[in-house]
Amino acid sequence: MTAQLPPIPPQFKSLQHHLRTAQEHDKRDQVVAYYCRLYAMQNGMKIDSKSPECRKFLSKLMDQLEIQKKELGDCDSITQEIVGSAHVENYALKMFLYADNEDRAGRFHKNMIKSFYTASLLLDALTVFGELSEENIQHRKYARWKATYIHNCLKNGETPESGPVGFEGEDYNEDDDGTSASTEAPERSSFTYKPGNMPASNYTGIHIPPGAHAPANTPAEVPHSSGVASNATSNSSLQNIHSVEPSLYIAQQGGMRLTPEDFAQAQKYCKYAGSALQYEDVNTAVENLQKALKLLTASRE
């Protein structure tokens, strides 16, 4: 990354950790780094695009984005939103699951805290593609709370409790050491997650999309593939599906009209299938592609 940013203006303090995460991923995963910067750019424009210092900072940040976009070339995760969204979502959930594995095993340490918090930042970045699903809103809230809770416990010499005991998910301030710190120590509550349609994982109560399972030994510092090569495989199956006009689907269905919700659900299945292929999870990929085909060919049954 050749374009260096000037000091971040005070107005953009809420974006400093997203930019730090982008910098940390420049060599680890350029796609993730790109979308973290794009998130900071979009939100920076909303916060202040008029003051001289903010305009200067945003101009340099835009230069970084342009340089990075050229470096990535024809990467499917940059040129196609559905592939990029799946890449960022799976990276975030992989980090979340690593941290949750450590939490459930009672292994409380700095790297696990960072993984929880970074997962929440990457779910922030996922909003560049649109509104988060309810599941990912819960993931983000829980990950940020968990980072806060464990950080405060270790700081105060206390032993944290594993799992969602005491989860509140409210009132966060940004801490200067890269974690999230709440205004008050979390207290116990009666909050419990409602079990959903979950694939097999060691996390009870939060739905993890298929293909997002992480190995138990994947810390935040371990380099991750940029996805430039792996997404090419998954996109080959996605491209054909998404290039067909909805009207053609209707004709193929013998006049049956599919709703926008049907098309959105089919796209989700295809996204999950593409994500599963990134992790060489063939069974999950086939299962989700079959679900998409069943939805789009329902009238033939």
Side-chain angles (χ1 to χ4, degrees):
M1 190 64 60
T2 56
Q4 296 298 316
L5 291 176
I8 187 167
Q11 297 95 313
F12 295 160
K13 183 181 178 182
S14 62
L15 305 175
Q16 62 183 341
H17 294 306
H18 300 87
L19 291 169
R20 184 184 300 172
T21 300
Q23 188 175 14
E24 290 173 350
H25 282 78
D26 278 334
K27 294 183 179 179
R28 190 179 303 164
D29 190 308
Q30 288 193 63
V31 171
V32 168
Y34 176 84
Y35 284 114
C36 284
R37 287 192 174 93
L38 184 59
Y39 172 85
M41 182 74 192
Q42 290 181 353
N43 284 271
M45 293 288 289
K46 295 175 184 176
I47 294 170
D48 186 347
S49 61
K50 295 182 178 180
S51 64
E53 59 179 344
C54 289
R55 286 175 63 88
K56 180 181 178 182
F57 184 87
L58 291 172
S59 176
K60 291 294 184 182
L61 181 56
M62 189 176 293
D63 290 343
Q64 281 194 346
L65 284 165
E66 288 299 320
I67 291 171
Q68 196 165 19
K69 195 171 184 178
K70 288 180 181 178
E71 289 175 350
L72 290 169
D74 296 328
C75 171
D76 294 329
S77 293
I78 301 300
T79 60
Q80 300 194 39
E81 285 193 359
I82 192 168
V83 182
S85 176
H87 183 97
V88 175
E89 181 179 38
N90 277 277
Y91 193 101
L93 295 178
K94 184 175 182 179
M95 214 167 247
F96 179 95
L97 283 177
Y98 160 74
D100 186 63
N101 286 337
E102 294 295 281
D103 176 46
R104 297 285 172 167
R107 294 188 291 264
F108 306 108
H109 50 86
K110 207 168 184 179
N111 190 42
M112 178 258 276
I113 296 172
K114 183 177 180 181
S115 292
F116 264 133
Y117 189 59
T118 301
S120 76
L121 296 176
L122 296 183
L123 289 170
D124 284 341
L126 194 61
T127 60
V128 302
F129 302 103
E131 293 184 6
L132 291 181
S133 65
E134 185 59 36
E135 291 90 349
N136 281 334
I137 290 173
Q138 286 288 77
H139 280 101
R140 181 175 61 179
K141 188 182 291 185
Y142 181 81
R144 197 159 289 172
W145 169 77
K146 200 67 184 182
T148 300
Y149 169 65
I150 298 172
H151 170 74
N152 287 344
C153 283
L154 297 183
K155 184 178 180 180
N156 296 328
E158 301 171 356
T159 301
E161 292 190 59
S162 297
V165 176
F167 176 55
E168 293 287 350
E170 300 175 351
D171 299 330
Y172 300 100
N173 289 328
E174 297 299 333
D175 191 302
D176 60 5
D177 69 353
T179 64
S180 174
S182 62
T183 54
E184 296 180 1
E187 298 178 353
R188 287 182 178 272
S189 77
S190 58
F191 180 91
T192 56
Y193 286 112
K194 295 180 180 179
N197 179 25
M198 299 189 304
S201 79
N202 72 334
Y203 189 77
T204 55
I206 287 186
H207 174 65
I208 308 293
H213 304 294
N217 59 346
T218 308
E221 284 77 4
V222 171
H224 187 281
S225 166
S226 67
V228 174
S230 61
N231 278 334
T233 303
S234 63
N235 184 59
S236 62
S237 60
L238 292 173
Q239 190 172 18
N240 292 333
I241 293 172
H242 294 294
S243 62
V244 181
E245 291 295 326
S247 58
L248 294 181
Y249 282 131
I250 293 171
Q252 292 169 0
Q253 298 306 313
M256 172 187 173
R257 287 193 173 275
L258 296 174
T259 66
E261 288 77 16
D262 291 331
F263 287 112
Q265 185 61 48
Q267 286 182 343
K268 279 189 176 182
Y269 287 141
C270 294
K271 181 179 73 171
Y272 292 158
S275 301
L277 288 175
Q278 292 183 25
Y279 297 96
E280 301 179 358
D281 187 350
V282 176
N283 291 336
T284 299
V286 170
E287 179 185 345
N288 280 278
L289 286 173
Q290 287 175 337
K291 288 180 179 179
L293 288 171
K294 184 177 180 180
L295 178 62
L296 295 173
T297 59
S299 65
R300 295 184 180 180
E301 297 181 354

